[in-house]
Amino acid sequence: MFSIPFLLTTTEVMRKIQNYPFKIFPKNSLIPSEGMKYDNESILEALHNCIAHQDYTKNARIIVIERENEIEFKNRGRFYDGTYEDYISGERIPDQYRNPFLAQAMAIIKMIDTEGFGIHKMYVSQKNRFLPMPDYDNSDDENVILKIRKHAVKCVFLGS
């Protein structure tokens, strides 16, 4: 369990996540792609977004759950300015923040992107690594829930 100030604990949380090298065989390719299980920048972006955009009036925790093939990030509140789909292309810039002073402080120390391109960067990173796109589909009016998956569950066996 980690506590405030959250700004100082994100690196500790990241160290707890099991991130190791792996190979993936992209469709229509005979050459494997190698990389880490998760993109460190995407993990930190997701975690920092939880901190910056949490609805602190709800007095709730930020929850990070690591499963075998995914990491789930959950924070209270909904998307404050638009929906996650608005930010995937990288063309939408938020015109307001739920916690403007916190977001500004985090931007000054380079913890978050000030232009609203974090979600876009996570999608690009997953795409470039041939991995499933970040998933916000379980989000609702009370919670933002992000799942970053390691790989699609699909096995191909050759031989007997």
Side-chain angles (χ1 to χ4, degrees), residues 13-24:
V13 172
M14 192 163 141
R15 285 186 193 134
K16 296 278 186 188
I17 294 171
Q18 296 178 25
N19 198 9
Y20 52 82
F22 79 104
K23 286 184 184 179
I24 189 169

Side-chain angles (χ1 to χ4, degrees), residues 14-72:
M14 192 163 141
R15 285 186 193 134
K16 296 278 186 188
I17 294 171
Q18 296 178 25
N19 198 9
Y20 52 82
F22 79 104
K23 286 184 184 179
I24 189 169
F25 292 82
K27 281 186 174 181
N28 303 322
S29 176
L30 299 175
I31 301 170
S33 176
E34 296 183 9
M36 297 301 288
K37 180 179 175 185
Y38 301 108
D39 174 38
N40 287 343
E41 191 174 349
S42 292
I43 292 170
L44 286 174
E45 181 70 35
L47 191 53
H48 294 163
N49 280 348
C50 286
I51 294 168
H53 303 297
Q54 169 91 330
D55 184 348
Y56 290 99
T57 65
K58 304 290 185 189
N59 197 27
R61 297 179 187 175
I62 294 170
I63 299 172
V64 179
I65 301 171
E66 181 180 11
R67 297 186 181 94
E68 183 178 347
N69 291 318
E70 71 182 14
I71 302 173
E72 179 178 287

Side-chain angles (χ1 to χ4, degrees), residues 2-127:
F2 299 91
S3 62
I4 57 174
F6 295 131
L7 300 178
L8 302 177
T9 61
T10 59
T11 302
E12 293 176 50
V13 172
M14 192 163 141
R15 285 186 193 134
K16 296 278 186 188
I17 294 171
Q18 296 178 25
N19 198 9
Y20 52 82
F22 79 104
K23 286 184 184 179
I24 189 169
F25 292 82
K27 281 186 174 181
N28 303 322
S29 176
L30 299 175
I31 301 170
S33 176
E34 296 183 9
M36 297 301 288
K37 180 179 175 185
Y38 301 108
D39 174 38
N40 287 343
E41 191 174 349
S42 292
I43 292 170
L44 286 174
E45 181 70 35
L47 191 53
H48 294 163
N49 280 348
C50 286
I51 294 168
H53 303 297
Q54 169 91 330
D55 184 348
Y56 290 99
T57 65
K58 304 290 185 189
N59 197 27
R61 297 179 187 175
I62 294 170
I63 299 172
V64 179
I65 301 171
E66 181 180 11
R67 297 186 181 94
E68 183 178 347
N69 291 318
E70 71 182 14
I71 302 173
E72 179 178 287
F73 301 86
K74 180 178 178 181
N75 67 299
R76 289 303 295 264
R78 57 179 173 71
F79 275 88
Y80 190 67
D81 186 23
T83 66
Y84 75 91
E85 291 99 340
D86 297 332
Y87 297 96
I88 293 172
S89 69
E91 295 176 18
R92 170 88 187 262
I93 298 173
D95 60 4
Q96 58 183 333
Y97 291 100
R98 176 180 286 117
N99 304 308
F101 298 113
L102 177 58
Q104 184 179 20
M106 292 176 75
I108 288 170
I109 61 174
K110 308 287 189 229
M111 286 183 75
I112 61 171
D113 187 303
T114 58
E115 299 296 324
F117 296 118
I119 290 174
H120 173 72
K121 285 181 186 177
M122 287 189 290
Y123 273 77
V124 169
S125 172
Q126 290 292 95
K127 179 182 141 250

